[in-house]
Structures are given as C-alpha cells and as structure tokens.
Amino acid sequence: MTTEKRQTAFIAKVLNGLFTVITVEGRELSATAKGNLRYHKSPLCVGDEIDYILTPQAETAAQIVACRQRRNMLLRPPLANIDELWLVISLFEPEINFLQLDAVICQALQQQIKIRLLLSKVDLDNAEQARSTYISSYFNQAFKTAIISAKMQQLDTITAWCREKELKVALSGLSGVGKSTLLNTLLGSEYMLTQSLSSKLKRGKQTTRHSQFFSCGKIWLADTPGFSALDIAKFRLRPAEAILAYPDLAEFTAECYFNNCSHTHEPKCAVIAACQSPLIRERWQNYCNFYNYIVSEEKKYVY
Ligand SMILES: Nc1nc2c(ncn2[C@@H]2O[C@H](COP(=O)(O)OP(=O)(O)OP(=O)(O)O)[C@@H](O)[C@H]2O)c(=O)[nH]1
Ligand SMILES: [Zn+2]
C-alpha cells in the first residue's frame, strides 16, 4: 500500500541520481526524486531538506516529492543548509595564506555558516618554536580552534565537538593540510571506501565528484575539495564586508566616528583604538591587507 503521508528528511548522499536520505527519526532510506525535481534548474543536492512519501515496493524506499527552501549553499561541491564550516589550517606546510582564509571565512559568515578552525600537524611543533601556541592564540580571538595531529591521533577536541550537538558540517582547507588523513582517522573504513570509489569513477579529465555526509558522533560531516586562488577571485566580495571575517574587531565598529569607516586609517576609528595588544594589532594589520585586497579586486570587475 502506498503511504501518501508526507514526511521530512535530509539528503545525506547523491550518487547517479539515487539519494540516501535520513529521516527525522534518524532512519536511512534510499530515494528517487519525482520527475519535476530531477529536471529543476537547481538540482537536489546533499544537505537539502526534503518531503518524501514511502513507495509501495519497499518500506525503505522513498520518493522525494518536494524540496524546502535552502538556508545557504556552498557550490563546490553543492552542499545545502550547512551549519558550520570547519577549516583545516596547517601549522607548518602548506603555509597559511591569510587572504584566502579571510575570503573563505567572509563568504561563509555572510551565509550564516559558523566557523571553527582545526590547526593541524602539531606533532611537527616543539617547545622552542611553540608555533601552535602562537597561531592558536591569534585565531582564538575570533573562532573556536582545535590543535590536532591526525598522524598521532591527537583529536580529542574534535571528538568532543562531534559529541556536542547535531550539526551539518563541511570540512575544507588548502590541499595538503591533512584533510584526508583526518577523515581517514575520524571515519575509518567508510571514508576510505568512498575515496577508492571516487578514484575508480575518474575518467580522463572529467572527475566524478560525489559528496556525502558521514555520521560522526552527533554531527554530519561532508568533505569538500581544497579552495584555490581562482575560487576566491570569484567571490566578488565588497570592501565593507571585509570586517565580517574579523568578528573580534567587528565588535567595536558601532563606536567608530564615521558611519562609512573602513577601519584602516580614519581618525576616531574604534577598531584602531582597540588595537592595544600586539596580537590584536596583528589581526588588524591582516584585516587591512584583506580590505585592500578586496578594493584592488573590485577595480578589476567594475568597468
Ligand atoms: N606530520 C604530520 N603530517 C601530516 C598530518 N596529517 C597529514 N599529514 C601529511 O600531510 C600531507 C598531506 O596530507 P593529506 O591528508 O593528503 O592532505 P589533504 O588536505 O587531504 O590534501 P589533498 O588531498 O591534496 O586535498 C601528507 O604527506 C600527510 O602524510 C599530521 O597530523 N602530521
Ligand atoms: Zn572604524
């Protein structure tokens, strides 16, 4: 018998037009999409919140009949309704690129996606360098940070985060920061299986990228490819948005004398006045670099 009652779920995986959805009770169902949804201009993607009906053939097979409006959307790969972006940053190689990082953070926060930072490869640190202490205190001003080593299985902070509450999380970072190593350690065989599947699906230059959410404690974790300078240039950020990437400095902006203060040089700027400690001053200097970068990028596309 067809159960016509509509129920809600979210899409955890898409592969070749077939969907895996997770119901509000946490049950996993395979699903197909009703015709009009398949040919929609913005196809269904991982993270979409959907309505489904159960099909007569099987209790675990569903048909997706509607898609709810998305709260936000990441594009590469398509991921909808993300709560948090966890950015992996290497304490050593590859070197931190603050402009790229700020642009990614800015774009996520614009879409109400919260940020946490995973500072990786701490096993390469030593007492004299104390790089992890310095870098974490720099980022701690603004974001929750974890210092990790996937190699040495030092992942206590992340595993604690995964137990906090149900969240949909996208993991990102530059190539080589240790994302795959981290996911292999966190998710084990399930993740390695999808990696070997992805490489088998690669044909010539057209690599098939399939994204999915993996269950990890209470959170749903999706892998994303590393971002590049090219992606950043496409963001088309506005100079006034630069301060979004610095929530710790943004706190002061209400007190600036000028409404259109850029917080880079103006007199009576409350952000500049707040730069008392060397650490905040360093954050402000990086903010100024980011602001000037957006101004120069903007000139390229304003004709
Ligand atoms: N010392 C140390 N090296 C690590 C750690 N995690 C990863 N690496 C090394 O860093 C290099 C890159 O690691 P990957 O996990 O492939 O990095 P990725 O971010 O997935 O890189 P892409 O696949 O290119 O996107 C490898 O040589 C790893 O062995 C770590 O915790 N400590
Ligand atoms: Zn100001």
Side-chain angles (χ1 to χ4, degrees), residues 243 252-273 284 287:
I243 197 74
F252 303 104
T253 56
E255 305 298 322
C256 293
Y257 182 77
F258 297 107
N259 278 337
N260 61 349
C261 185
S262 75
H263 325 296
T264 58
H265 64 278
E266 291 85 346
K268 298 188 187 170
C269 167
V271 174
I272 297 173
W284 172 74
Y287 159 76

Side-chain angles (χ1 to χ4, degrees), residues 116-131:
R116 297 195 206 199
L117 306 178
L118 315 182
L119 307 180
S120 68
K121 309 192 189 182
V122 67
D123 54 284
L124 299 175
D125 206 4
N126 57 42
E128 294 99 75
Q129 286 193 78
R131 202 165 154 76

Side-chain angles (χ1 to χ4, degrees), residues 217-267:
K218 286 189 186 163
I219 67 157
W220 292 95
L221 194 56
D223 187 11
T224 71
F227 44 84
S228 69
L230 259 172
D231 298 319
I232 311 299
K234 283 188 209 138
F235 286 178
R236 303 219 159 173
L237 299 167
R238 307 235 153 251
E241 291 163 346
I243 197 74
L244 278 179
Y246 290 78
D248 48 332
L249 301 184
E251 268 180 42
F252 303 104
T253 56
E255 305 298 322
C256 293
Y257 182 77
F258 297 107
N259 278 337
N260 61 349
C261 185
S262 75
H263 325 296
T264 58
H265 64 278
E266 291 85 346

Side-chain angles (χ1 to χ4, degrees), residues 55-273:
T55 56
Q57 290 82 9
E59 271 291 289
T60 54
Q63 187 182 38
I64 301 171
V65 292
C67 180
R68 307 275 172 100
Q69 193 171 7
R70 292 168 179 155
R71 288 196 305 281
N72 55 48
M73 182 81 194
L74 296 178
L75 293 176
R76 232 178 48 97
L79 283 173
N81 304 317
I82 296 293
D83 297 305
E84 297 195 357
L85 184 69
W86 291 6
L87 279 171
V88 185
I89 300 168
S90 172
L91 289 163
F92 294 89
E93 284 287 305
E95 218 174 288
I96 302 174
N97 180 327
F98 286 99
L99 289 181
Q100 286 188 351
L101 207 57
D102 288 347
V104 171
I105 291 174
C106 191
Q107 234 223 354
L109 290 175
Q110 258 178 340
Q111 298 197 68
Q112 268 79 49
I113 300 173
K114 288 191 181 152
I115 300 286
R116 297 195 206 199
L117 306 178
L118 315 182
L119 307 180
S120 68
K121 309 192 189 182
V122 67
D123 54 284
L124 299 175
D125 206 4
N126 57 42
E128 294 99 75
Q129 286 193 78
R131 202 165 154 76
S132 54
T133 314
Y134 175 69
I135 306 267
S136 67
S137 49
Y138 172 84
F139 285 116
N140 258 333
Q141 311 281 323
F143 307 106
K144 284 187 184 170
T145 58
I147 300 174
I148 63 164
S149 164
K151 208 169 202 171
M152 305 306 281
Q153 309 236 347
Q154 198 176 320
L155 301 172
D156 295 357
T157 313
I158 304 184
T159 46
W161 285 354
C162 293
R163 287 194 293 264
E164 277 172 14
K165 59 178 173 178
E166 191 177 328
L167 289 174
K168 296 201 184 82
V169 175
L171 192 73
S172 188
L174 287 177
S175 178
V177 291
K179 251 166 8 108
S180 311
T181 314
L182 170 65
L183 287 168
N184 284 337
T185 316
L186 270 183
L187 306 168
S189 54
E190 201 193 348
Y191 179 71
M192 288 180 223
L193 204 71
T194 60
Q195 280 201 309
S196 62
L197 180 70
S198 298
S199 60
K200 272 186 202 147
L201 289 171
K202 279 180 191 171
R203 286 185 195 94
K205 276 187 182 169
Q206 278 196 315
T207 53
T208 309
R209 183 159 279 293
H210 90 272
S211 58
Q212 80 176 82
F213 274 127
F214 295 93
S215 168
C216 185
K218 286 189 186 163
I219 67 157
W220 292 95
L221 194 56
D223 187 11
T224 71
F227 44 84
S228 69
L230 259 172
D231 298 319
I232 311 299
K234 283 188 209 138
F235 286 178
R236 303 219 159 173
L237 299 167
R238 307 235 153 251
E241 291 163 346
I243 197 74
L244 278 179
Y246 290 78
D248 48 332
L249 301 184
E251 268 180 42
F252 303 104
T253 56
E255 305 298 322
C256 293
Y257 182 77
F258 297 107
N259 278 337
N260 61 349
C261 185
S262 75
H263 325 296
T264 58
H265 64 278
E266 291 85 346
K268 298 188 187 170
C269 167
V271 174
I272 297 173

